[in-house]
Amino acid sequence: MELAAAFMQLGIAAGLGLLVGLQRERKTGDIAGFRTFPLVTLTGTVCGQLALAFDGWVLIGGFGAIAAAVVIGNLAKIRAGHPEPGITTEVAVVLMFAVGAYLTVGPPQVAVAVGAAVAVLLQLKQELHGFAAKVSDDDLRAIMQFAAITLIVLPVLPNRTYGPYDVLNPRQVWWMVVLIVAISLAGYVGAKLVGPRAGTWLAGALGGLVSSTATTVTFARRTRGGGEGTGVEVAAQVILIASAIVYLRVLVEVAVVSPELLAHALGPLLVMLALLAALSLLRAWRHRLPDDAEPADHGNPTQLRAALLFGAIYALVVLATAWAKAQFGSKGLYSVAAISGLVDLEAITLSSAQSVRGGKLAADLAWRLVLLASLTNLAFKSGIAALWGGRALVRRVAAYWAVAVLVGLALLAWWSGDAALLR
């Protein structure tokens, strides 16, 4: 092994061990802390390096020594009259040893991600226990039902195309459902974790992550009959923030499904994200709002009915896209994208990304369809704000959305199709 590579592995191991050890040192007086965790992770890395040169028994011996040290440490605590009911630290010790060993055989990015996840999970003990307490039986039932159906049904779904134009792939459709539910579930869990203390910015961010349209409906309803007061100002701010997060969500979806499309879509979508974020900051600076908004009470995104509905919409958009392309060429796709943006932005985003991945659609055309759908989605939310919130709310968001739409149209007209930022 090269000297530089060996030292890099040891350095990453020490850093990850220090990160987890610092968390344990501050939160508990347990058997392992700021010094022990770096030693454990370094032991794993050294044993992994020795195993590459000699034999795998070196790694097994190192693991046995760490396990024995954990047992001896716990026995000492029991004899001292300080038994601990949990085994979180012990499991973390074993895992960090494995992370250290993994550094010698796998990509360091994976080890860093696992080490960071360990630190975060240890730090969020109270929040995670609080989330478990807040989850209702219906929520838990919906999550388990969706997981069971996905794990059982997905493997047996045929991985081939059917139907008109030969574009509907059942397994692919359900994978898209799983992706959307996972992103929405992350926002739903975040809202449950922070509870009513979220504040305006976090309420908007979580709302955009779960569903910006549902967030617009919820906060527009809250302003009904409220006149021109602070409640309308807060609702407008949350809705504007959620509209910005939409572009972050779209970028994540594109990155997962089609990195090739991301190379072309990254520039214009980042412009829209930065623009709406800047408009949100501008509005917050102008109005100096109190940071007291509660997140919207979204339904559990793992509800089977909602998942099946998205799957149906996605399949319909895929069919409509294939039909429009066959009948009218690329010009027909713009009409499908505009209409899809009114119904479900994710459906046209994922179908476009899949088409690029399958070589059926040019990436330069695909990002334009996604951007156009996002602009019609903004127009649709303007209608929602007018219908549910009235003139007071519309006056506070329409001008900002109008700026975003104008910039988006300018990007559609003048952004170079050759400007791929990730080659």
Side-chain angles (χ1 to χ4, degrees), residues 310-353:
F310 174 78
I313 293 174
Y314 173 80
L316 184 61
V317 169
V318 170
L319 281 174
T321 301
W323 174 82
K325 187 176 181 181
Q327 297 295 322
F328 308 105
S330 61
K331 293 182 179 179
L333 298 180
Y334 286 104
S335 299
V336 173
I339 296 172
S340 179
L342 300 176
V343 180
D344 197 307
L345 175 59
E346 274 75 21
I348 187 65
T349 299
L350 295 176
S351 64
S352 299

Side-chain angles (χ1 to χ4, degrees), residues 167-181:
V167 291
L168 288 180
N169 184 314
R171 186 178 297 182
Q172 186 183 93
V173 170
W174 197 252
W175 265 123
M176 296 303 99
V177 173
V178 171
L179 173 60
I180 292 301
V181 169

